[in-house]
Amino acid sequence: MTDLKGALSQAVSSVFEGLGLDASLGRVGVSDRPDLADFQCNGALAAAKAARRNPREIAAEVIAALNADPKASELFSSVEVAGAGFVNLRLSDAALTQRATEIVADPRLGAALNETPRRIIIDYGGPNVAKPMHVGHLRSSIIGEAIKRIYRFCGDTVWGDAHFGDWGFQMGLLILAAGDEDPRLRAIGEGAADADLSALADLDLPLLDRLYPMAAAKAKEDTDYRDRARKATAELQAGKEGYLTLWHRFVEVSRVALRREFDAMGVHFDLWNGESDADPFIPDMVTDLRAQGLLVEDQGAQIVRVAREGDKRELPPLLVISSEGSAMYGTTDLATIVGRRRDQDPHLMLYCVDQRQADHFAQVFRAAELAGYAPEGGLEHIGFGTMNGADGKPFKTRAGGVLKLHDLIEMARDKARARLKEAGLGAELSPEAFEETAHKVAIAALKFADLQNYRGTSYVFDLDRFTSFEGKTGPYLLYQAVRVKSLLRKAADEGSVGGAVMIVEPAERDLVLTLDAFNTAVAEAYDKKAPNFIAEHAYRLAQAFSKFYAACPVLVAKDAATKASRLTLSATALRQLEMALDLLGIETPERM
Ligand code: ARG
């Protein structure tokens, strides 16, 4: 099944070809002037330039050939030259109705599948043991989850991997801090014969939350402390039993808490692998890098030089083994590539991580390429900008600290409750249902505010605007979806059912044209790894529905056939809207 744009492109391209012109110039796009046309082709201008001819003349030839082709002319009701040589097309009602009927019957609501499915790993979320998640992790989770859903929807086999930060320097810091806090924990770490393992139970989330910032602050001032933490990290990685016991507990406690937060956000990983899972691959990898002559000694450390001639600025080498003998952030990333190659053998690994880590990924990817660990073009950093405060700098709390994700979600929920009340919504809901709706509104607000921007763009955090039921917001979209649901419930209550689609009113045409554009939105989001195309589509669809609903009475339509057609259009718009929102990781409530 092709969308209308595809069908018209095919027809116009073959006409271009028949006229001895470049077929690719026959591509058709949505019209810039919906008042004049549904679609337009600008190819006559380029063709005229190449042939040094008058573009309007070429456009006229294209139009004559289109009119002469019986199959092509079924698609449009009018085709005209406009301006400098644009070909303007207005679809025929028959073509539009046929397409609407296809979309209604299609479980994918008009979106095509990929021709060749691939295996893809998306590395996103990136939470760390004992460090609370912050808004950078929020963006990674929101964008990564959406990209995962979009890829899967298009037919790829996709694994989302949290790539848990559980093997670096912060582990050494925690081991020291835990020992300083409680001598029983120190005894466990040192592997004392009489160590009291029940002390591990006291190592809970509040304690971890307190220990890490303390230790991190201390390491900043105290070089001796920092050196001891580095040593502890190296010993942990070398397999010191007591340290591993403590480490297991850190990981377990953090994981439970993180999973709860991700669940609340509708973010679900297929793999909960951590940096530590790459550890078994490191020894062989190091041997191999050395054998390939890529690993060189530099001031006691082992590095891979990745700078290339022609680089605009010099890329520092990848640090593989520190002078203390520990694996670094880049080491575990490189070894993770080796592991994924063995376990999933993906065509592509996408890293949805803050743009500020671009150099890190450039280093890792180049090292992987040099060593032959990744398929050609198989590694890609999907960077994103920051969420900023009103001052234009990365968002901070009022006290100037990093905002914890947990607190942010709490704030959004408070605001969502207030917004619902202020809009007079949810008054009939039970307290539990109200809470559930408020939660969905909050998550929709945060996610949509993020995803409506191209991921590379930074945006300003403005909870008031994000949670408004008006404008380009998540809550607006939920409200529109709930409105359709309530309309369909009423129809079901009175026993009305949908029927064949008939397109009469301009608002009906617009709605069907918008439904048809879903395919393009999905394709663009897929190709550019950019969910904002779906967000934009969801918004346009909600608006098209809203206009349709205002102009075209449904339950009180003038006759039964019109009513049945409009019910079908409403139900289809809702299904597609919910599908688009689901691709963004946004759930709609039943009522509000
Ligand atoms: N844990 C890292 C951080 O908090 C992000 C991990 C990103 N993924 C990766 N494969 N390096 O900055």
Side-chain angles (χ1 to χ4, degrees):
M1 183 194 309
T2 44
D3 56 12
L4 292 165
K5 194 175 78 165
L8 283 171
S9 289
Q10 253 171 32
V12 180
S13 294
S14 74
V15 160
F16 266 69
E17 209 174 2
L19 293 169
L21 303 168
D22 181 353
S24 70
L25 294 178
R27 212 175 26 223
V28 161
V30 173
S31 170
D32 300 336
R33 291 283 306 270
D35 52 327
L36 299 180
D38 300 324
F39 291 93
Q40 68 184 62
C41 169
N42 305 344
L45 284 95
K49 207 166 179 191
R52 295 167 175 276
R53 288 181 52 197
N54 177 348
R56 283 186 67 96
E57 223 174 83
I58 295 190
E61 284 174 21
V62 168
I63 289 170
L66 277 171
N67 279 321
D69 178 340
K71 235 185 119 215
S73 50
E74 270 176 20
L75 287 171
F76 48 82
S77 59
S78 77
V79 51
E80 288 165 352
V81 192
F86 304 107
V87 174
N88 271 352
L89 295 133
R90 199 171 270 293
L91 287 160
S92 68
D93 286 347
L96 212 52
T97 309
Q98 196 199 332
R99 177 64 179 152
T101 310
E102 272 175 14
I103 296 174
V104 168
D106 183 5
R108 303 177 54 78
L109 295 152
L113 274 167
N114 272 354
E115 272 161 33
T116 35
R118 298 183 294 174
R119 282 189 309 282
I120 307 219
I121 291 188
I122 304 185
D123 182 315
Y124 70 105
N128 300 306
V129 167
K131 288 202 235 176
M133 283 203 277
H134 53 71
V135 294
H137 297 111
L138 172 76
R139 287 214 75 186
S140 174
S141 307
I142 292 177
I143 301 167
E145 178 72 20
I147 294 178
K148 181 190 77 179
R149 290 171 183 229
I150 293 163
Y151 270 61
R152 197 168 277 163
F153 177 64
C154 289
D156 290 332
T157 300
V158 188
W159 294 268
D161 184 357
H163 200 74
F164 201 29
D166 64 354
W167 209 229
F169 176 60
Q170 83 265 28
M171 296 301 109
L173 281 175
L174 275 177
I175 289 171
L176 285 195
D180 291 346
E181 172 75 17
D182 183 340
R184 296 174 308 157
L185 293 174
R186 173 168 313 136
I188 294 174
E190 292 317 319
D194 58 349
D196 171 13
L197 287 176
S198 70
L200 286 174
D202 295 346
L203 201 56
D204 56 6
L205 196 63
L207 181 57
L208 279 185
D209 276 350
R210 187 160 62 76
L211 289 182
Y212 178 76
M214 223 166 68
K218 193 158 170 195
K220 269 204 185 127
E221 294 158 5
D222 182 342
T223 42
D224 178 52
Y225 190 76
R226 187 162 61 223
D227 289 345
R228 280 167 55 214
R230 287 206 176 122
K231 188 158 160 275
T233 309
E235 285 177 338
L236 168 74
Q237 292 178 354
K240 180 165 169 169
E241 202 121 336
Y243 284 3
L244 279 169
T245 307
L246 291 175
W247 174 83
H248 273 296
R249 178 70 187 165
F250 302 151
V251 168
E252 178 189 64
V253 169
S254 293
R255 237 180 235 225
V256 170
L258 289 168
R259 211 183 270 271
R260 200 168 46 222
E261 271 175 51
F262 281 121
D263 274 348
M265 283 203 318
V267 171
H268 309 290
F269 299 102
D270 307 286
L271 305 170
W272 259 92
N273 289 343
E275 295 166 354
S276 65
D277 290 289
D279 195 67
F281 299 104
I282 294 176
D284 284 353
M285 180 181 86
V286 167
T287 308
D288 179 62
L289 290 171
R290 195 169 286 130
Q292 295 201 53
L294 293 169
L295 199 68
V296 293
E297 170 128 11
D298 183 65
Q299 298 169 39
Q302 310 280 322
I303 61 168
V304 174
R305 294 195 202 282
V306 294
R308 276 184 203 152
E309 231 171 279
D311 280 351
K312 285 205 190 77
R313 63 199 167 79
E314 190 170 315
L315 198 60
L318 180 78
L319 179 54
V320 179
I321 305 286
S322 75
S323 51
E324 290 87 8
S326 37
M328 310 302 286
Y329 184 40
T331 322
T332 45
D333 258 327
L334 194 58
T336 298
I337 293 172
V338 174
R340 288 175 180 163
R341 202 78 197 276
R342 188 196 72 174
D343 295 338
Q344 289 85 19
D345 193 23
H347 298 92
L348 185 60
M349 297 177 220
L350 298 173
Y351 295 79
C352 187
V353 185
D354 194 316
Q355 191 54 39
R356 288 173 293 181
Q357 293 196 27
D359 278 0
H360 165 76
F361 287 108
Q363 291 169 320
V364 171
F365 294 175
R366 282 191 182 183
E369 224 171 274
L370 286 168
Y373 294 162
E376 172 98 15
L379 299 167
E380 200 180 324
H381 174 208
I382 313 270
F384 50 80
T386 49
M387 186 172 102
N388 294 331
D391 59 358
K393 301 209 183 90
F395 192 78
K396 293 260 190 311
T397 58
R398 267 200 210 120
V402 175
L403 182 67
K404 291 187 202 168
L405 186 51
H406 184 82
D407 298 338
L408 173 71
I409 295 177
E410 213 42 67
M411 260 163 73
R413 257 201 302 247
D414 280 346
K415 196 86 195 172
R417 284 185 204 105
R419 285 288 199 185
L420 281 164
K421 290 199 175 125
E422 167 193 307
L425 294 169
E428 289 102 66
L429 297 176
S430 70
E432 297 79 39
F434 182 81
E435 266 312 291
E436 205 185 308
T437 297
H439 180 76
K440 284 181 176 162
V441 168
I443 298 297
L446 292 174
K447 287 190 171 181
F448 194 80
D450 191 297
L451 294 171
Q452 67 170 284
N453 305 293
Y454 175 67
R455 62 181 153 74
T457 314
S458 298
Y459 64 96
V460 174
F461 179 73
D462 180 351
L463 207 46
D464 271 333
R465 193 164 58 78
F466 297 174
T467 53
S468 168
F469 280 101
E470 277 158 35
K472 201 171 184 178
T473 68
Y476 165 77
L477 295 177
L478 297 194
Y479 178 68
Q480 291 302 334
V482 166
R483 237 167 39 123
V484 193
K485 288 185 188 192
S486 123
L487 163 72
L488 295 175
R489 261 197 311 269
K490 272 187 212 136
D493 287 349
E494 59 173 51
S496 307
V497 288
V501 172
M502 301 184 306
I503 298 164
V504 181
E505 296 296 326
E508 290 171 324
R509 277 184 74 86
D510 276 352
L511 182 58
V512 172
L513 282 168
T514 308
L515 289 167
D516 177 57
F518 183 46
N519 184 43
T520 302
V522 171
E524 280 195 285
Y526 183 94
D527 290 341
K528 303 196 171 86
K529 292 144 189 132
N532 60 300
F533 289 99
I534 309 246
E536 184 63 33
H537 178 77
Y539 180 63
R540 285 198 192 158
L541 179 58
Q543 279 188 312
F545 177 79
S546 182
K547 285 192 188 134
F548 156 83
Y549 197 40
C552 304
V554 179
L555 295 179
V556 291
K558 64 182 189 313
D559 57 64
T562 303
K563 178 170 173 177
S565 163
R566 287 178 183 171
L567 275 175
T568 298
L569 284 175
S570 304
T572 308
L574 173 66
R575 279 165 64 213
Q576 198 186 69
L577 180 58
E578 287 202 286
M579 185 172 275
L581 290 173
D582 182 61
L583 291 176
L584 302 177
I586 296 175
E587 273 181 67
T588 49
E590 282 316 299
R591 295 163 199 267
M592 46 166 77

